[in-house]
Amino acid sequence: MESTTGIDLRLVVPAATAWLAAGVLVGAPGGVPASAAVGLWLGAGLFVVAAVFDRRARWRPLWATVGVSLAVSALVASVVLVSGPARLPADVRAAASRHANASALITVWSVPVETASPGGFGTGGTGARVRFRGTVTELTEGKRSSRVSVPVLVFAESSGRGTASLQIGSVVRLDGSLRATDPGDSAAALFFGRSRAESVAAPPWWLAWANALRTRFVEAARELPGDGGDLLPGLAIGDTSQVSADLDLSMKASSLSHLTAVSGANCAVVIAGIMLLGGYLRLGRGMRITLSLATLLGFVVLVTPEPSVLRAALMATILMLSVASGRPGRGVPLLALVVVVLLVADPWLARSYGFALSALATGGLLVLAGPLTRVLSRWMPTALSAVIAIPLAAQLACQPVLVLLTPTLPLYGVPANLLAGPAAPFATVVGLVACLLLPWLPGIAGGVLYLAWLPAAWIAAIARTSALLPGSRLPWLGGVVGVAATGILTVAFVALVLRRPGAVRGWWPPTAVAVLVLAGGAYTGTLIGSGVGRAVAFPADWQIAACDIGQGDAVVVRDQDLYALVDVGPDPALLTECLDTLGIDRIDLLVLTHYDLDHIGGVEAVIGRVGTALVGVPENAEDERLHLRLARGGADVRQAARGDTGTLGALRWEIFWPVRGSPAMQTGNAGSVTIGFDGRGIRSIFLGDLGQEPQDALRRVAPLATVDVVKVAHHGSRDQSPQLYADLRATVGLISVGRDNGYGHPTDALLGMLASAGTLALRTDLGGMIVVAPAPDGGGALTVWTETVPVGGPD
């Protein structure tokens, strides 16, 4: 069974069906009913019987394909049915629903990465925090202990540079609380640690060697200058712990994020290198394949088995075994087989963006790279055609999924890949050589390391430059509509470009042309119109603007040409972009509610531009140094507490929390400086990251007046006081939250509290920048403007 393009569909259709089935089944809220698996098995049997006994030969391939598709879907359903309940047993689910304090034994399965949102749900942690994937093997709540196997995403206090106790394969004990995730998440729960991890067992020997090499390489790369040193560990060994938030943003904006860490392409580079070396040494085919497989296994252990690496490694293994048997397989069926095998082994991969992008990029290269090269070679040399066709094919295949991650189109994605792509294999190979030499010949390894740094620095420079070019990310539709629109336009474009010269004319070529022309015209008109519309619709008398800076807080309050800024978000680049958009050069009043990175990480953007800074109680010497830096930049730094008041033009501000001199709730989330503004028709309050306990304490200190706008606490976490929001009765609730933030923010519980209080929830992850102004006719009404989602002005 083949498509009109000659692609064998006998495995492609079952693979796509299994993927769709797995994505639906793992996300089923109540789990997979046994009847679904039984029904799929019965359907598969019926179609297979039809394929065997149908005498019409032309229909047999169809029955067989449908039968195999139902069979693999039934197999996936059976795996989910059996393994699903074990991922989150009833006693663990109960502990998660109560947010109970528990002690857990956790096996670490990924490199710890510093998180820009420390102090996660329900924690009062004040130190730097890291996140990593792991498996809870034992959970102790009170005197009750149970053996489990629960995949979790852990947020814990960092044990310092290198996080030595959190090596891959190590077992640690951590006190904290669980929170269940959505059913389709790769982690069954989030675990928020309230202490530093205590080492219980070292990694086994077959992981320890890789941990030692990885740690030594990362330490050596830290000594390299600039972005190249930060990016090199990811390119060479898959460790992205040193990649800063702004560099990661630039890599994504330039469509180079696949180069941030080891991908499937790196497996191909390693295998090709070993095969070429074996040929140079005149080794036999069997010996070269054996050596390649052994090297591939070691490489996967070293770089950690990420979904894209697993896909490439399994594909390479099957391909080499088929070559050894004298029957080499073809690319697309081989890719489809690998997808089926991995989805049966772990159905939750169906919802992994990394796995999806890896498989789609590989499929795009297999299907589109050759035809695109032939088309482009009509106007340019074949070598140049191939160089352009490879990133173009991968971009076309991946773009429908990429819009789910970021609803934008990368204008410079293909050129950036053309310039940066050839440097990646060199950085990978030379970086790996340096990594292997470090324990034995550190002097030579240092020189090799600098050679690997050059292409890494080049890639980072390309990312930084292309991200700063005008129009680097053009806005696009998000969600299912964006995926469908992107898919339709991609199919129309590919069909027209790859249409053979002299092919039979029909209805579809003019239809495809019409779709592309209409879509292009509508999109161009929308871009022009949105610019004009933004200038027209943007309220000139705006008073509050919530910046879209990801998972963090940065909200501007304005009166005429005077500006207050409540928190600065996690990233100076994002804050600078927001302030530039609003035309703000100076901050007259800066409020730092507390010292978590998602509230102070962007402070570099405003140092030297601040008049007065209101801060909370410093928690350590680092916080005091931050105060000193602000003061050296010309700011008058004051420690804020309840009762402090002042003015910003015609607006009066007042501090409601914390209480000066109180022995409790002075620092961390619970000590968040809570400020209110009143004037020019809007009364507002900003709750920082206050949890339910300090919110209730705030209510007890003195009743709060109703407000028009509330900046919702802690990005919409569950840890909130329904009574406080009922007392405030705000018209609008601003939720500053990042897309796909991993915490489940904002929670359904918080959204329910706002709805019960009659408060309209406005989220930066959905609306982008959010601006609030008094309505022109006054009367207590508000005008609301959002960057990406039209919102009517609430009464």
Side-chain angles (χ1 to χ4, degrees), residues 120 302 364 500 618 703 729:
L302 178 63
R500 294 190 302 272
R729 286 184 290 168

Side-chain angles (χ1 to χ4, degrees), residues 285-286 289-290 293 317-328:
R285 184 173 65 179
I289 290 175
T290 302
L293 290 175
T317 300
I318 295 175
L319 179 61
M320 284 189 289
L321 291 177
S322 65
V323 169
S325 67
R327 299 180 61 186

Side-chain angles (χ1 to χ4, degrees), residues 68 163 170 224 295 317 357 366 368 502 559 608 698:
V68 173
T163 58
S170 62
L224 298 173
T295 303
T317 300
L357 293 174
L366 292 171
L368 300 177
D559 182 64
L698 173 61

Side-chain angles (χ1 to χ4, degrees), residues 458-485:
W458 168 256
I459 293 171
I462 294 299
R464 294 281 195 188
T465 303
S466 60
L468 291 175
L469 293 175
S472 61
R473 303 293 288 187
L474 298 177
W476 188 248
L477 300 170
V480 176
V481 176
V483 173

